[in-house]
Amino acid sequence: MASSINLSIYSDVMVVLATAGVIVPVVSRLGANPIISYLTLGALLGPLGLGAAMDQMPFLYWITIVEPNNVAGIAELGVVFLLFLIGLQLSLSRLLALHRLVFGLGGLQIVITAAILTLIAVLFGVGTQQALVVGLSLALSSTAAVVELLSNKRRMSTTTGRATFSVLLAQDLAVVPLLLLVGILASDTGTNVATILGIALLQAAASLGMIVLFGRVFLRSLFHLVGSLDSSEVFLAAVLFIVVGAGFAAALFGLPMAMGAFVAGILLSETEFRKAVEAIVEPFKGLLLGVFFFTVGMSIDIVEFIKTPGLIISLLCILLIVKVIVLAPLARLFSLALPSAIEMAMLLAAGGEFAFVGIGAGAAAGIVSPHVSGMALTVVAISMALTPLLATLGEHLARAISKTEHGPELDEMPDVMTGHGIVVGYGRVGRVVAGMLQRHGLAYLAIDADPALVSRERRKENAVFFGDARNNNFLRICGLSEASSLIVTINDDHATDRIIEIVRAARPDLPIVVRARDATHARHLYAMGVTNAVPETIEASLQLSEATLISMGIPMGKVVASIHERRDEFRKELQ
């Protein structure tokens, strides 16, 4: 039995999991950037690092990566999950609003940057076909690294964030014609390249249209069914099926898997299941992205860098400078302020993960030589390791320029909801509470676990989302850290207690108002730390008393004052 197990696969996976689950979190707690940590450890533990000395020191077999392909599939899923989460943050209307930046700014950046880099490669003595593949591949930036940085800083919806993402989206779309171009150059059939690329792009658009059409019909119905089962395990399985299934469907049509997942995310972004799905996917995304950055680090050839450090640093500087001097003026041409243009150019200056796809495909087809491929991928990997530093430098330059020009300060925060109330439970009581908040001009977000009820209320344009408030990650995604109050209206004691525990651990200062059955239940809730418990029996008796006193001729103002006084007495007794 043991002899049938491929130990190299398990040892490689264990090295990556130990890195992602133990080493990087510890290093991050010490203040190191997680992306740089993954890339550095990948370079150190990869086959081009310590793995190269395995013949002399066999024990390194257990602490290095033997075969990179053993973890390549897991790494690709990291980018798939990232693009899915990005899609969840967008909507179709917002995406269409970005079309000018995607196809204008993004398209021009790819064409101009690729042309300059191709020319430079030819001047370095690289063949024309090799130079074209390398130039196009190096023109692309890292969606995974840049979006992760912007998301962590909550800057995805700022001017800089939207423009940056638009360019990245155009670059992701450009992977399809890049791979087609490699295939055409490899076949050398003499067919008109422009014609073949045009037909291929039309086929890609038709494929995405089919995925969108199928998703609109299928996704909401699936999640309605899964949500009604009230099983977190089934919901998790359905989410993973959609993410991986959408990527697989895109791959069947010759598109990047990440593109299919991105489309699925957009389709779910306007549904009541968005926040629940995001809460489930996000932990997977973090781990898988870590594996991805680790595999990118494995492409850094430390030996080659030691042999020719001057050449690699020169090529690295050329790549960064070319992309900055192309992107910044183009961004200004598309009406971006100078600070935003500079910051975006610095964010996108490094190479990206799809360079590994394009150059790898060229090397496999025999178009790109092993020496050129190794040198280019080493430059890309090092540039990706510099992305956090470039982003910080770009942000500082943008601030300095903004102050010098006495213009408006950079927009720091995206259009996220802040100062809102979170209403848990949207039954009869929850609807009344939400209605009163809305009547007084206060923002709210409501949560309910009944998919039919949530769908019905969303058709009335109420801000209700499907989800389980006992999930701390879900509450965080609902804006717990920015909320001004939490109102719990559900009639489930165990669930209520769990929600209070989560919220009090995360926000000791947050006002919590909870529906209680009676005085005994209210005392229990006060002991747990709620701000205000409202017993149904006491409130009913106070309302009856109010109606009785008014009917017996007592003035309204006097009655209201006495009812408030009695309510305060009850509250003090219960507390």
Side-chain angles (χ1 to χ4, degrees):
M1 181 68 179
S3 61
S4 64
I5 298 175
N6 188 337
L7 289 178
S8 68
I9 294 178
Y10 285 95
S11 67
D12 289 346
V13 171
M14 287 300 294
V15 169
V16 173
L17 290 179
T19 303
V22 180
I23 300 174
V24 170
V26 171
V27 174
S28 300
R29 289 292 296 271
L30 299 176
N33 184 283
I35 294 176
I36 294 178
S37 301
Y38 279 118
L39 290 167
T40 303
L41 288 168
L44 183 64
L45 302 178
L48 300 178
L50 291 176
M54 197 182 304
D55 291 339
Q56 292 76 31
M57 293 177 280
F59 70 89
L60 291 175
Y61 177 93
W62 301 105
I63 60 172
T64 59
I65 301 297
V66 178
E67 176 53 60
N69 289 332
N70 289 341
V71 293
I74 305 175
E76 186 177 3
L77 283 177
V79 183
V80 169
F81 275 73
L82 175 68
L83 266 292
F84 179 76
L85 279 172
I86 293 170
L88 281 177
Q89 304 304 320
L90 293 172
S91 62
L92 200 55
S93 57
R94 289 179 67 186
L95 185 63
L96 291 174
L98 296 175
H99 72 279
R100 179 171 167 271
L101 292 173
V102 174
F103 299 106
L105 175 58
L108 284 173
Q109 181 272 327
I110 295 167
V111 172
I112 296 173
T113 306
I116 294 174
L117 292 174
T118 300
L119 178 60
I120 291 172
V122 170
L123 293 176
F124 269 88
V126 178
T128 305
Q129 290 189 351
Q130 285 192 82
L132 182 58
V133 173
V134 171
L136 279 168
S137 300
L138 294 181
L140 309 180
S141 306
S142 175
T143 301
V146 174
V147 170
E148 183 75 359
L149 287 170
L150 289 172
S151 298
N152 290 339
K153 294 182 179 181
R154 292 186 173 178
R155 304 203 63 213
M156 276 298 294
S157 295
T158 61
T159 302
T160 303
R162 284 192 293 268
T164 301
F165 177 72
S166 298
V167 175
L168 288 170
L169 183 57
Q171 293 177 354
D172 292 345
L173 290 170
V175 176
V176 178
L178 170 60
L179 295 178
L180 290 170
L181 177 63
V182 171
I184 293 168
L185 294 175
S187 61
D188 195 22
T189 58
T191 313
N192 185 280
V193 174
T195 303
I196 294 177
L197 283 177
I199 295 172
L201 288 175
L202 287 175
Q203 290 175 339
S207 303
L208 286 176
M210 291 176 62
I211 294 173
V212 169
L213 181 63
F214 181 75
R216 280 192 174 278
V217 175
F218 176 68
L219 285 182
R220 191 185 290 268
S221 300
L222 172 66
F223 280 105
H224 266 293
L225 174 62
V226 171
S228 65
L229 298 176
D230 193 24
S231 170
S232 57
E233 292 83 4
V234 175
F235 195 85
L236 169 62
V239 171
L240 295 179
F241 168 72
I242 291 301
V243 177
V244 179
F248 181 72
L252 287 177
F253 291 115
L255 300 170
M257 285 186 68
M259 187 56 60
F262 175 71
V263 171
I266 290 177
L267 294 176
L268 283 170
S269 66
E270 295 179 332
T271 71
E272 58 272 27
F273 304 101
R274 173 168 66 90
K275 292 187 181 295
V277 170
E278 187 178 349
I280 282 180
V281 170
E282 193 173 31
F284 290 93
K285 183 263 301 184
L287 175 63
L288 293 171
L289 264 185
V291 178
F292 166 74
F293 288 122
F294 185 91
T295 57
V296 170
M298 290 192 301
S299 301
I300 300 176
D301 192 338
I302 298 175
V303 175
E304 187 68 29
F305 182 79
I306 294 172
K307 286 180 181 178
T308 56
L311 177 60
I312 291 178
I313 291 173
S314 300
L315 293 174
L316 177 63
C317 291
I318 290 172
L319 173 66
L320 300 179
I321 291 170
V322 166
K323 295 183 86 168
V324 168
I325 62 175
V326 170
L327 271 164
L330 278 178
R332 293 288 288 146
L333 184 65
F334 279 79
S335 305
L336 265 72
L338 182 58
S340 295
I342 293 295
E343 186 179 6
M344 185 190 74
M346 295 298 289
L347 277 166
L348 298 175
E353 54 271 8
F354 287 120
F356 294 89
V357 176
I359 295 174
I367 300 170
V368 181
S369 68
H371 175 70
V372 171
S373 171
M375 190 72 70
L377 293 182
T378 298
V379 170
V380 170
I382 294 173
S383 72
M384 288 181 68
L386 296 175
T387 299
L389 300 177
L390 292 169
T392 302
L393 178 60
E395 193 173 346
H396 287 316
L397 286 173
R399 290 187 185 283
I401 294 170
S402 181
K403 290 177 181 177
T404 303
E405 293 189 346
H406 302 289
E409 290 293 323
L410 291 176
D411 40 2
E412 292 294 340
M413 295 293 290
D415 47 351
V416 297
M417 184 181 288
T418 58
H420 58 293
I422 299 178
V423 181
V424 180
Y426 204 71
R428 289 172 296 175
V429 178
R431 280 196 294 273
V432 172
V433 173
M436 293 303 295
L437 291 173
Q438 194 170 21
R439 181 174 292 188
H440 287 273
L442 298 172
Y444 75 91
L445 183 150
I447 302 165
D448 202 279
D450 183 348
L453 180 149
V454 173
S455 296
R456 186 169 62 248
E457 294 300 328
R458 284 184 68 88
R459 284 195 291 269
K460 301 174 185 176
E461 298 187 351
N462 292 320
V464 192
F465 290 89
F466 172 84
D468 185 356
R470 295 170 296 181
N471 183 326
N472 55 357
N473 197 37
F474 176 71
L475 284 177
R476 182 184 61 77
I477 288 170
C478 288
L480 180 62
S481 59
E482 294 85 17
S484 60
S485 63
L486 179 85
I487 307 96
V488 183
T489 70
I490 59 177
N491 206 12
D492 183 331
D493 293 357
H494 294 296
T496 299
D497 288 355
R498 175 60 181 155
I499 293 166
I500 295 169
E501 288 172 359
I502 292 171
V503 174
R504 272 293 166 253
R507 289 283 307 275
D509 61 318
L510 183 69
I512 303 177
V513 182
V514 186
R515 169 189 180 184
R517 290 190 318 278
D518 50 30
T520 303
H521 188 209
R523 289 190 186 93
H524 166 74
L525 294 171
Y526 278 121
M528 291 195 70
V530 304
T531 311
N532 206 338
V534 183
E536 295 174 345
T537 52
I538 292 177
E539 281 302 312
S541 64
L542 289 173
Q543 290 180 34
L544 283 169
S545 301
E546 181 180 352
T548 301
L549 291 170
I550 292 173
S551 68
M552 295 178 71
I554 305 298
M556 173 73 75
K558 196 171 182 179
V559 171
V560 171
S562 65
I563 292 295
H564 277 297
E565 183 180 343
R566 188 70 182 103
R567 182 180 286 114
D568 288 338
E569 291 172 1
F570 275 126
R571 186 180 297 114
K572 289 176 182 177
E573 291 172 9
L574 295 172
Q575 288 175 334

